[in-house]
Structures are given as structure tokens and as C-alpha cells.
Amino acid sequence: MDLRFLQSLIAPAATKIAMVIMDGLGGLPLEPGGKTELETARTPHLDALAAQSALGLTVPVGPGITPGSGPGHLGIFGYDPVQYEIGRGALEALGIGFELGPSDVAARGNFCSVDAAGLLVDRRGGRIPTDVNQELAKLLRTVRIDGAEFFVETVKEHRFAFVMRGSGLGDALTDTDPHKTDAPPLPVRALKPDSEKAARLVNQFIEQACHLLADKHPANMILLRGFARFPRVPTYQELFGLRAAAVAVNGMYRGVARLVGMTVLNVDGATLADQFTTLEKNWNDFDFFYLHVKQTDTAGEDGDFARKVRVIEEVDALMPRLMALQPDVVIVSGDHSSPALLKSHSWHPVPTLLYSRHVRADGIAEFGERACARGSLGVLPAKDVMPIALANAQRVAKFGA
Amino acid sequence: MDLRFLQSLIAPAATKIAMVIMDGLGGLPLEPGGKTELETARTPHLDALAAQSALGLTVPVGPGITPGSGPGHLGIFGYDPVQYEIGRGALEALGIGFELGPSDVAARGNFCSVDAAGLLVDRRGGRIPTDVNQELAKLLRTVRIDGAEFFVETVKEHRFAFVMRGSGLGDALTDTDPHKTDAPPLPVRALKPDSEKAARLVNQFIEQACHLLADKHPANMILLRGFARFPRVPTYQELFGLRAAAVAVNGMYRGVARLVGMTVLNVDGATLADQFTTLEKNWNDFDFFYLHVKQTDTAGEDGDFARKVRVIEEVDALMPRLMALQPDVVIVSGDHSSPALLKSHSWHPVPTLLYSRHVRADGIAEFGERACARGSLGVLPAKDVMPIALANAQRVAKFGA
């Protein structure tokens, strides 16, 4: 369903929607026939909520597609992640918490090694330690070129985020990485006329970087790839008339929330309980809340089944604080699956619970993958969850008479 | 799936399909954990049929979208209701049973009050009684303008349906309602060149109406809005090769059935049993039958849970008369949900049963929302039901070799 069609039916209401996203929530049993992380976790509050909810399994991007965090979030936020693709450069900048502006052009950067003839010897610059990267990034920040401001932010080892800020900068730019050694780094080329200024400026930056790094072997040159601006995404305010707030700690999630027009709240403290406190303090000021739990994904990616179970139990224990605020609609889901068994993101559909007074409850008193597979939401695209949540929040008018 | 693709595979057969639509069939429990209207109803015949059927939940328009009767019906009839949108003026005319022609332009009309300077005082003309409306409608029918024929049909209170019949009349016309008082009604403007003739004729009509109503305060002027022709919809005959008949009593449903090319049968009598009698009498003459039950929706909109239950039980008791005709395929569904709890149409998916000799039966001997949530049709767009019904009726050839 087209978002503009939904937008045409949006009606104002005084209701509140809360979306709790446990990152990488979906899992797998360690042994065939066993239980997943979510099925193993003792979750009395989520189970009780499930009994009053409609359950389903969400597909973040498409069948068989393993989403990154950016597309996974765009999906559950209600957008088609393929239509609104966030380029790699923009994701890299978001990932380290860089506040990417709407006309900034970002890229993924590598320090690399070149020989005396300027030919690539090591595309990863000897995987220098992160602290060396930080020193080199400081050096590159001294570059000054008329027409744009440049940002160089360490990611880790040889990787950094590159951002160029200025006016009239297009992002239709080719990579400088030739993807082989014994070849020189390529100059950036503009693929469209609107990106010619940007190409010229980036090439000037690279030239200066080359001089500054000349004696810094093995990190004596840079490669840039995945040039991208933030995609223009219609915001929650614009599409749904929602004043939306994000309670997320990590850069990537704060960035994607900002992309869709959410106000990103500052969390005082580092625990999940602190995030719920932030939710409580701001409850009166917004219509929609996105609360992001990172630790489930980290445990999944670490292959730590037991830790992922514990994080889910910790979230469960905090759910009464959310329910005490009497939200009209509650969504509990994930942006993708991250089974500890696979130690990575995966393509598996994500257990999803939708609670409201007006939901047709399935009466299944369990929140887990197989429970959700029996739910009346069925297996649905993640982007279909928001329209149903909005309907339950009485925010969608009737179509036709 | 595209209807034209399906059309390319349609093959003739001597089979018969019956579609029983209980309007607003889907419901909600009155209390959390309780039963819906359909789950409460004692429906031994539908339950027995369910056991031999595939069950599912249909989504009429899209996730979270509450359909009006027009879009809800187009969905279960097999069309995308967003693609084939029926304009508000056309719906108003259909709603009172006006036989809208393919080139007629319809609008919603209001009698309204204007002051001596022609400024709006009351957009609803003091909500005059319906019998006064009928007198004024008679008066407006005396308007004669070269180039078109005009119809004015009372809806109720201050509302009427306006229809203009002629050749070369476009419907890209602006509303005359300024949506505020102390402003004059607006002239109609053409938004496309093909609608200029229509705009001129409507403005002439309004001018004459203004003179005729001058001394009829508080209904001394008219407002027209939502100008629309019938959308051009490929018919059942054209798409599916079906001779289709509608057994529906109310104007709206007869109109939508006519829109898709069904022959609208006259029902002798006013009871549900009379509708089944009409079905029996015409059984030999058509391949497809749509039987519409209005009373479920009316009860739902009235918030009368018990009456909705009784209507469903009445339909159940009549089902043996349909089954005695030995239809090859039977669909029992609704055009949308109308839970008594909400006293209105709603976005909830609709319980749907598809019976045939060749269906893969789920073996679930119950027709209800939660039973259908477990069915093998899953949660599916309503428009996908007709292709499956046609396949079960042996009317769709193999695609590819």
C-alpha cells in the first residue's frame, strides 16, 4: 500500500503509540526441535500482553532478505526499505552517530597503502590500530578547500567515515577503490551533472590527503566509496501527523529515527531502565515513541544465546513501566532476526505483537516465534505494521462511503 | 496479480460460483477475551461447510484501512479498490439506488442557507426535514438547460444526489462548498479541458436553482461537491467470462454489482428468505451469484451485538437452500468488518470461507474470526479470493507448459 494513499486518510487523534524494538529479536533454537532465545526467555509480562494482542511475523525487507539495521528499521517504521535505500556512506556516518545533514555527502573511507609509484599495495592499510586511525583522522581534518567543509571520523582500524558539507553537492559519484592491488586509486567521477562540483572537491581533498599521509606508511593513502546523501524520506509528521520521539542510545538508530522526522531524546544513563525513564519523562509531549534495545542484537551477533535470553527478560521486567503509561497502541517487535546460532543478522521473520483496546486479540498467551506464526497478523511485510497501529490508534479515516 | 493476466488464462466451464456477502461480517468481542458476533452465533451449517472449506482472513483495501461499502465490495469482487476508486458523488447516487449511466456525472448535494448578500449562513440549510427536501427536489427537477438532463434525488434531511446526463461531460470539477460560512458558494471550475462543458452546465443549473429557491429559506441555495463519474471497471463477463447475477436489495450494492457487469435481479419480498428464493429461481441462468446480506452491517453500526448474532444465525439457517443447488464453489465472507463494539466499519480482516469439491480443506469445523486466522488461505487481500474461486470452478487454464 502506498504511503501517500495512507497519508490521504490520516485523521488527528489524541492517542499514543509505543513501539519497542528489540534489535535482532528473532532467533533460532541451538538444537533442532529446541526453543529460540525469545521462547526460552521467561517473559510473564510480554506473555500476558500477547494474550490481549494480535500476533504475527514481520518480514523487514522481503522474503529471504537479511536486512542491515538501516533497512530493518525503515521497514518496521512503515517504509519500503528498497524504495528508500540508505546509501552505504550515509549508513557509515549514521553508525558512528554523526549528525548527517540533509545535503551532506557521506562516504566510507579506508586508509590504504600505496607504493612509490602510487599503486595500491594493501587496500586496508595494514589494518592499523584504531588509535593510529584517530591520529590520522585529526591530520585529515586540517584539509581546507573552498566550497565545502570536510569531516573525517574514525570508525575502527583502517575504517573512517567521510562527510562533505556544502551547497549544490550531488552524490552520483564513483568509488575510488579499484578493488585490486597494483592499480592506482581511481579519481572520483560524477555520474550526473549535478555531482560535478562534488567530484571536483572530493578529488581535491584526496590530493591533499595524499600529501598529508605521504610518510604515514602503511596508511599513506585513502580510498572512498559508497558516496551517498541521506535519502529524502517523508516524515512521520508529514505522513501521519505524529509528533514522534526516539529513545535510542546508538548512533545508527538515532540517525534513522532522525531521518523519519523523530525527535531524538537524550537518555540520561546507559541502562535499559534509563531508557524507560526517558520514555516516562517525555510521555506527555509526543504521540509516538520508538524505544530501541540494542543489546539483543549484540548478544545474537556474539553467538551468546544465554545473554540474549537475559536481555529479553530484562526488557520484559521493564514492560509494566510502559504499560503504566496506558499507551493506546503497543508494538513489540524487532528490526530483523539475529539468531545466536548464526552469530549474525538473518532473513528470518520477526516475532511481532500489536496490542490495543480495539485489536482483535488472538488469545495466544505467549510471545515467541511459533506463537506469532499462529497469530492473526499472519506473515506480513514489516511496513504494514504501522498502518494497522495507526488504525488501532483511531488515526485513519474510512476510505470511500 | 494483474486482472489482465488472470483474464488471459480464463477458460470456459459449466460450473457455478455463489458468493454470500454478509455486510460488515467481521467483529470484535465486547469484552477482552470474549467472543465476536460470528463466534457467538450458533451456525451449524456454516460450521459444517467450514470443515470442508479453506478458511482465511481477507483484507479488503489494505492493512489498517477501514473500507466504505463501495471499496469493500470491489475488493471481494476481485478488484483493487484503490485503483478503481468510486468517487463520492457516484457513491451518493448509488446509495439511493440511482441507476448511474457510464457517462453521467454525479455529485453530493446539500441544501444550504444564504443571506441577502449571497453569503453562506448555514452549510446544512437548517437540516430541513426529509419531506421538505422532497418538495424542493421536485422544484429543482423543473430546471431545463440545453446540453444535459438533470436529476435531483432526495437522500435525507438537507442532502440530495445530483446527476447530470449528457455527452462530453468530464468530472474534473471543483466543489462549490467553500467549507465555511460568511463566504459565497464557489462557482464550479473545470480542472481539465474535457470538463469545461460540464462546469458551464452545472453553473447554469446552480444559477437557476438559486432563483427557484430564493424564498425557501432556510434552504434557499445549494452546494455541490465530490463530482464523479462511475469508474470504468472491466466487467465479470469481459474478465472472467462469467454471466453474473446480483441478489441485493439496497441501492449501493445493486450499483456496485452493476458497475462490475452483474445483472441485478429483482427480489420479490423484503426478507433474507426472499433473497434465497430469488437465487433459486435464477439458478439456471447464470454462472456466478452474489447474494448480499445488509442486516449484519446495520446491526454492527447500531452497536447491537445480539441482533448481529441473530442475523448471522438467520443466514446460517438459509444456507441449506443454497447448498441444495449444488454450487461448485461457495464463498462466504464480508465486504469489511463492522464490530458492534465500534458501532462502525473497521479495518479488521474479514472471516472468509471458500468451499469447493477441489479445495484443500482445513478441516476446521468452525466459521469464526479465530478459526479463520488458523486457515490455510492465511491473511490475504480480498481481491485474491476471486482468482482462487475461479480456479476451484475449473475456469483458469494452466500458465506455461
Side-chain angles (χ1 to χ4, degrees):
Chain A
M1 191 173 61
D2 188 76
L3 279 173
R4 295 296 178 184
F5 170 68
L6 181 61
Q7 181 184 26
S8 72
L9 298 173
I10 290 296
T15 52
K16 288 187 193 290
I17 303 172
M19 175 187 275
V20 177
I21 296 300
M22 286 186 257
D23 205 298
L25 176 63
L28 283 174
L30 290 178
E31 299 293 335
K35 290 182 173 185
T36 67
E37 297 90 324
L38 180 58
E39 289 169 346
T40 303
R42 206 183 145 270
T43 54
H45 301 109
L46 286 167
D47 294 348
L49 191 60
Q52 304 173 59
S53 299
L55 305 181
L57 290 170
T58 48
V59 178
V61 177
I65 304 301
T66 297
S69 298
H73 269 85
L74 281 183
I76 194 70
F77 285 168
Y79 301 85
D80 177 347
V82 178
Q83 181 184 352
Y84 296 104
E85 188 172 351
I86 309 177
R88 296 192 163 262
L91 280 171
E92 192 83 334
L94 289 186
I96 54 162
F98 187 89
E99 291 220 357
L100 207 58
S103 58
D104 292 355
V105 175
R108 288 187 164 182
N110 274 16
F111 290 105
C112 64
S113 310
V114 292
D115 64 17
L119 302 181
L120 264 175
V121 178
D122 180 354
R123 292 173 52 240
R124 296 188 180 83
R127 289 189 187 272
I128 50 169
T130 301
D131 58 345
V132 174
N133 180 319
Q134 285 164 336
E135 289 305 310
L136 298 176
K138 266 186 213 162
L139 194 62
L140 293 185
R141 282 184 208 127
T142 64
V143 172
R144 294 287 176 275
I145 297 167
D146 279 349
E149 189 181 359
F150 294 89
F151 302 86
V152 177
E153 305 291 339
T154 296
V155 176
K156 64 176 183 179
E157 297 175 344
H158 57 289
R159 288 168 52 199
F160 62 88
F162 169 88
V163 177
M164 177 168 55
R165 179 170 293 168
S167 62
L169 303 178
D171 66 353
L173 300 169
T174 60
D175 294 352
T176 76
D177 187 344
H179 292 285
K180 57 183 178 188
T181 52
D182 291 328
L186 304 167
V188 170
R189 283 184 301 106
L191 296 170
K192 292 182 185 169
D194 74 0
S195 302
E196 277 166 14
K197 178 182 173 187
R200 183 167 45 77
L201 291 169
V202 177
N203 285 325
Q204 286 174 25
F205 180 92
I206 293 169
E207 196 183 328
Q208 289 200 30
C210 181
H211 291 301
L212 288 168
L213 299 172
D215 63 348
K216 304 293 181 188
H217 184 86
N220 60 354
M221 184 53 177
I222 59 170
L223 296 173
L224 298 174
R225 63 187 200 282
F227 288 94
R229 278 193 307 223
F230 238 12
R232 277 181 209 281
V233 172
T235 67
Y236 265 38
Q237 180 71 48
E238 179 187 347
L239 285 174
F240 310 136
L242 288 176
R243 296 170 303 158
V247 185
V249 173
N250 301 72
M252 166 74 84
Y253 315 98
R254 294 169 68 89
V256 179
R258 200 157 43 77
L259 177 66
V260 302
M262 294 186 194
T263 299
V264 180
L265 302 174
N266 286 319
V267 178
D268 194 9
T271 67
L272 284 175
D274 295 328
Q275 288 186 247
F276 277 76
T277 302
T278 304
L279 188 77
E280 289 163 344
K281 281 186 181 164
N282 291 276
W283 188 250
N284 291 329
D285 300 331
F286 297 92
D287 310 310
F288 178 96
F289 293 84
Y290 151 62
L291 189 144
H292 178 255
V293 175
K294 175 63 184 166
Q295 294 87 331
T296 30
D297 181 58
T298 315
E301 295 214 56
D302 289 347
D304 194 335
F305 189 99
R307 196 170 91 230
K308 191 170 166 190
V309 169
R310 283 199 304 276
V311 176
I312 294 168
E313 291 178 345
E314 194 181 341
V315 173
D316 183 78
L318 289 163
M319 284 301 291
R321 290 179 58 182
L322 169 58
M323 298 313 292
L325 298 168
Q326 299 187 289
D328 298 281
V329 179
V330 177
I331 299 152
V332 183
S333 185
D335 55 339
H336 54 77
S337 293
S338 282
L341 179 72
L342 300 179
K343 298 186 181 180
S344 68
H345 292 202
S346 79
W347 62 91
H348 302 86
V350 184
T352 298
L353 164 166
L354 196 145
Y355 160 83
S356 95
R357 171 69 185 93
H358 302 300
V359 85
R360 192 186 283 150
D362 297 327
I364 301 172
E366 186 193 342
F367 187 46
E369 282 81 352
R370 277 163 282 203
C372 288
R374 302 199 307 274
S376 63
L377 295 177
V379 179
L380 77 169
K383 70 184 174 68
D384 289 353
V385 172
M386 266 304 285
I388 302 172
L390 289 163
N392 274 282
Q394 319 267 43
R395 287 178 175 272
V396 189
K398 185 162 70 171
F399 171 58
Chain B
M1 191 173 59
D2 188 75
L3 281 172
R4 296 296 179 183
F5 170 68
L6 180 61
Q7 181 184 26
S8 72
L9 298 173
I10 290 295
T15 53
K16 288 186 193 291
I17 303 171
M19 175 187 275
V20 177
I21 297 299
M22 286 185 259
D23 204 298
L25 176 62
L28 283 174
L30 289 179
E31 298 295 333
K35 290 183 173 183
T36 67
E37 296 90 325
L38 180 57
E39 290 169 346
T40 303
R42 205 182 147 270
T43 53
H45 302 107
L46 286 167
D47 294 348
L49 190 60
Q52 304 174 60
S53 300
L55 304 181
L57 290 169
T58 48
V59 178
V61 176
I65 304 299
T66 297
S69 298
H73 269 85
L74 282 183
I76 194 69
F77 285 168
Y79 301 85
D80 177 346
V82 178
Q83 181 184 352
Y84 297 105
E85 188 172 350
I86 310 176
R88 296 195 164 259
L91 281 171
E92 191 83 334
L94 290 185
I96 53 162
F98 188 88
E99 293 220 357
L100 207 58
S103 58
D104 293 355
V105 174
R108 286 186 167 184
N110 275 15
F111 289 105
C112 64
S113 310
V114 291
D115 64 17
L119 302 181
L120 264 175
V121 178
D122 180 354
R123 292 172 53 239
R124 296 189 180 81
R127 290 190 187 274
I128 49 168
T130 302
D131 59 343
V132 173
N133 180 318
Q134 285 164 338
E135 288 305 310
L136 298 175
K138 264 185 214 164
L139 193 61
L140 293 184
R141 283 184 209 126
T142 65
V143 172
R144 293 287 176 275
I145 297 168
D146 279 351
E149 187 180 359
F150 295 89
F151 301 86
V152 177
E153 304 291 339
T154 296
V155 176
K156 64 174 180 178
E157 297 176 344
H158 57 288
R159 288 168 51 201
F160 61 88
F162 168 88
V163 178
M164 177 168 55
R165 179 169 292 166
S167 62
L169 302 179
D171 65 355
L173 300 170
T174 60
D175 294 351
T176 77
D177 188 344
H179 291 286
K180 57 183 177 188
T181 52
D182 289 327
L186 304 167
V188 170
R189 284 184 301 108
L191 296 170
K192 292 182 185 168
D194 74 359
S195 302
E196 277 167 15
K197 177 182 173 187
R200 185 167 42 78
L201 291 169
V202 176
N203 284 325
Q204 287 174 24
F205 179 91
I206 293 170
E207 196 184 325
Q208 290 201 28
C210 180
H211 290 300
L212 288 168
L213 298 172
D215 63 349
K216 302 295 181 187
H217 183 85
N220 60 354
M221 183 53 176
I222 60 169
L223 295 174
L224 298 174
R225 63 188 200 281
F227 288 93
R229 279 192 307 224
F230 237 12
R232 279 180 207 282
V233 172
T235 66
Y236 265 38
Q237 179 71 47
E238 179 187 346
L239 285 174
F240 310 135
L242 288 176
R243 296 171 302 159
V247 185
V249 173
N250 301 71
M252 167 75 83
Y253 315 98
R254 294 168 70 89
V256 179
R258 202 154 43 76
L259 177 67
V260 302
M262 294 185 194
T263 300
V264 180
L265 303 174
N266 286 319
V267 179
D268 194 9
T271 67
L272 285 174
D274 295 328
Q275 288 186 248
F276 278 76
T277 302
T278 304
L279 189 77
E280 289 163 343
K281 280 186 180 162
N282 291 275
W283 188 250
N284 291 330
D285 300 331
F286 297 92
D287 310 307
F288 177 96
F289 293 85
Y290 152 61
L291 188 145
H292 178 253
V293 175
K294 176 62 185 168
Q295 294 87 331
T296 30
D297 181 58
T298 315
E301 294 216 56
D302 289 348
D304 194 334
F305 190 97
R307 195 170 91 229
K308 191 170 166 192
V309 169
R310 283 199 304 277
V311 175
I312 294 167
E313 291 178 344
E314 195 181 341
V315 173
D316 184 77
L318 290 163
M319 285 301 291
R321 289 179 58 183
L322 169 58
M323 298 312 293
L325 299 168
Q326 300 188 288
D328 298 279
V329 179
V330 176
I331 299 152
V332 182
S333 185
D335 55 340
H336 55 75
S337 293
S338 284
L341 179 71
L342 298 179
K343 298 186 181 180
S344 67
H345 292 202
S346 79
W347 61 89
H348 300 87
V350 184
T352 298
L353 164 166
L354 195 145
Y355 160 84
S356 93
R357 172 72 188 87
H358 304 298
V359 86
R360 192 186 284 148
D362 296 326
I364 300 172
E366 186 193 342
F367 188 46
E369 282 81 354
R370 276 166 281 205
C372 286
R374 302 197 308 272
S376 63
L377 294 177
V379 181
L380 77 167
K383 71 184 175 68
D384 289 352
V385 172
M386 265 304 285
I388 304 173
L390 289 162
N392 275 281
Q394 319 265 46
R395 288 178 174 271
V396 189
K398 185 163 67 173
F399 171 60

Coordinates of all heavy atoms in Angstrom, one line a residue, chain B residues 66-93:
Chain B
T66 N -9.9 1.2 6.8 CA -11.4 0.9 7.0 C -12.1 1.2 5.7 O -12.1 2.4 5.3 CB -11.9 1.8 8.2 OG1 -11.2 1.5 9.4 CG2 -13.4 1.7 8.3
P67 N -12.7 0.2 5.1 CA -13.3 0.5 3.8 C -14.7 1.0 3.9 O -15.5 0.5 4.8 CB -13.3 -0.9 3.1 CG -12.7 -1.8 4.1 CD -12.7 -1.2 5.4
G68 N -15.1 1.9 3.0 CA -16.6 2.1 2.8 C -17.1 0.9 2.1 O -16.4 0.0 1.6
S69 N -18.5 0.9 1.9 CA -19.1 -0.3 1.2 C -18.7 -0.4 -0.2 O -18.5 -1.6 -0.7 CB -20.6 -0.1 1.3 OG -21.0 0.0 2.6
G70 N -18.4 0.7 -0.9 CA -18.0 0.6 -2.3 C -16.7 -0.1 -2.4 O -16.6 -1.1 -3.1
P71 N -15.6 0.5 -1.8 CA -14.3 -0.2 -1.9 C -14.3 -1.6 -1.3 O -13.6 -2.5 -1.9 CB -13.4 0.7 -1.1 CG -14.1 2.0 -1.0 CD -15.6 1.8 -1.1
G72 N -15.0 -1.8 -0.2 CA -15.1 -3.1 0.4 C -15.6 -4.2 -0.6 O -15.1 -5.3 -0.7
H73 N -16.7 -3.8 -1.3 CA -17.2 -4.7 -2.3 C -16.3 -4.9 -3.5 O -16.1 -6.0 -4.0 CB -18.6 -4.3 -2.8 CG -19.7 -4.8 -2.0 ND1 -20.1 -4.3 -0.8 CD2 -20.4 -6.0 -2.1 CE1 -21.0 -5.1 -0.2 NE2 -21.3 -6.1 -1.0
L74 N -15.7 -3.8 -4.0 CA -14.8 -4.0 -5.2 C -13.7 -5.0 -4.8 O -13.3 -5.8 -5.6 CB -14.2 -2.7 -5.6 CG -15.1 -1.8 -6.4 CD1 -14.4 -0.5 -6.8 CD2 -15.6 -2.5 -7.7
G75 N -13.2 -4.9 -3.5 CA -12.2 -5.8 -3.1 C -12.6 -7.3 -3.2 O -11.9 -8.1 -3.9
I76 N -13.7 -7.6 -2.6 CA -14.1 -9.0 -2.6 C -14.6 -9.5 -4.0 O -14.5 -10.6 -4.3 CB -15.1 -9.3 -1.4 CG1 -15.3 -10.8 -1.2 CG2 -16.5 -8.7 -1.8 CD1 -14.1 -11.5 -0.6
F77 N -15.0 -8.5 -4.8 CA -15.3 -8.8 -6.2 C -14.0 -9.1 -7.0 O -14.1 -9.5 -8.2 CB -16.1 -7.7 -6.8 CG -17.6 -7.6 -6.4 CD1 -18.3 -6.5 -6.7 CD2 -18.2 -8.7 -5.7 CE1 -19.7 -6.4 -6.3 CE2 -19.5 -8.6 -5.3 CZ -20.2 -7.5 -5.6
G78 N -12.8 -8.8 -6.5 CA -11.6 -9.2 -7.2 C -10.8 -8.0 -7.7 O -9.8 -8.2 -8.5
Y79 N -11.3 -6.8 -7.4 CA -10.6 -5.6 -8.0 C -9.8 -4.9 -6.9 O -10.1 -5.0 -5.7 CB -11.7 -4.6 -8.5 CG -12.6 -5.2 -9.5 CD1 -13.7 -5.9 -9.2 CD2 -12.3 -5.0 -10.9 CE1 -14.5 -6.4 -10.2 CE2 -13.1 -5.5 -11.9 CZ -14.2 -6.2 -11.5 OH -15.0 -6.8 -12.5
D80 N -8.8 -4.1 -7.3 CA -8.0 -3.3 -6.4 C -8.8 -2.0 -6.1 O -9.0 -1.2 -7.0 CB -6.7 -2.9 -7.0 CG -5.9 -2.0 -6.1 OD1 -6.4 -1.4 -5.1 OD2 -4.7 -1.9 -6.3
P81 N -9.4 -1.9 -4.9 CA -10.3 -0.7 -4.6 C -9.6 0.6 -4.7 O -10.3 1.6 -4.8 CB -10.8 -1.0 -3.2 CG -10.4 -2.4 -2.9 CD -9.2 -2.7 -3.7
V82 N -8.3 0.7 -4.6 CA -7.6 2.0 -4.7 C -7.4 2.3 -6.2 O -7.6 3.5 -6.6 CB -6.2 1.9 -4.0 CG1 -5.5 3.3 -4.1 CG2 -6.4 1.6 -2.5
Q83 N -7.1 1.3 -7.0 CA -7.0 1.6 -8.5 C -8.4 2.0 -9.0 O -8.5 2.9 -9.9 CB -6.5 0.3 -9.1 CG -6.3 0.5 -10.6 CD -5.9 -0.9 -11.3 OE1 -5.6 -1.8 -10.6 NE2 -5.9 -0.9 -12.6
Y84 N -9.4 1.3 -8.6 CA -10.8 1.6 -9.1 C -11.6 2.4 -8.1 O -12.6 1.8 -7.6 CB -11.5 0.3 -9.5 CG -10.8 -0.4 -10.6 CD1 -10.1 -1.6 -10.4 CD2 -10.9 0.0 -12.0 CE1 -9.5 -2.3 -11.4 CE2 -10.3 -0.7 -13.0 CZ -9.5 -1.8 -12.7 OH -8.9 -2.5 -13.7
E85 N -11.1 3.6 -7.8 CA -11.8 4.3 -6.8 C -13.2 4.8 -7.3 O -13.2 5.4 -8.4 CB -10.9 5.5 -6.3 CG -11.5 6.2 -5.1 CD -10.6 7.2 -4.5 OE1 -9.4 7.3 -4.9 OE2 -11.1 8.0 -3.7
I86 N -14.2 4.7 -6.5 CA -15.5 5.2 -6.8 C -15.7 6.6 -6.1 O -15.6 6.6 -4.9 CB -16.7 4.3 -6.4 CG1 -16.4 2.8 -6.9 CG2 -18.0 4.8 -6.9 CD1 -17.4 1.8 -6.3
G87 N -15.8 7.6 -6.9 CA -15.9 9.0 -6.4 C -17.1 9.2 -5.5 O -18.1 8.4 -5.6
R88 N -17.1 10.2 -4.6 CA -18.1 10.3 -3.6 C -19.5 10.7 -4.2 O -20.5 10.2 -3.7 CB -17.7 11.4 -2.6 CG -16.5 11.0 -1.8 CD -16.2 11.8 -0.6 NE -15.2 11.1 0.2 CZ -15.6 10.4 1.3 NH1 -16.8 10.4 1.7 NH2 -14.7 9.7 2.0
G89 N -19.5 11.5 -5.3 CA -20.7 11.8 -5.9 C -21.4 10.5 -6.5 O -22.6 10.3 -6.3
A90 N -20.6 9.7 -7.1 CA -21.1 8.4 -7.7 C -21.6 7.5 -6.6 O -22.7 6.9 -6.7 CB -20.0 7.7 -8.5
L91 N -20.9 7.5 -5.4 CA -21.4 6.6 -4.3 C -22.7 7.1 -3.7 O -23.6 6.3 -3.4 CB -20.3 6.6 -3.2 CG -19.1 5.7 -3.4 CD1 -18.0 6.0 -2.3 CD2 -19.5 4.3 -3.4
E92 N -22.9 8.5 -3.7 CA -24.1 9.0 -3.2 C -25.3 8.6 -4.0 O -26.3 8.2 -3.5 CB -24.0 10.6 -3.1 CG -25.1 11.2 -2.3 CD -24.9 11.3 -0.8 OE1 -24.2 10.4 -0.3 OE2 -25.4 12.2 -0.2
A93 N -25.1 8.7 -5.4 CA -26.1 8.3 -6.3 C -26.4 6.8 -6.2 O -27.6 6.4 -6.2 CB -25.7 8.7 -7.7

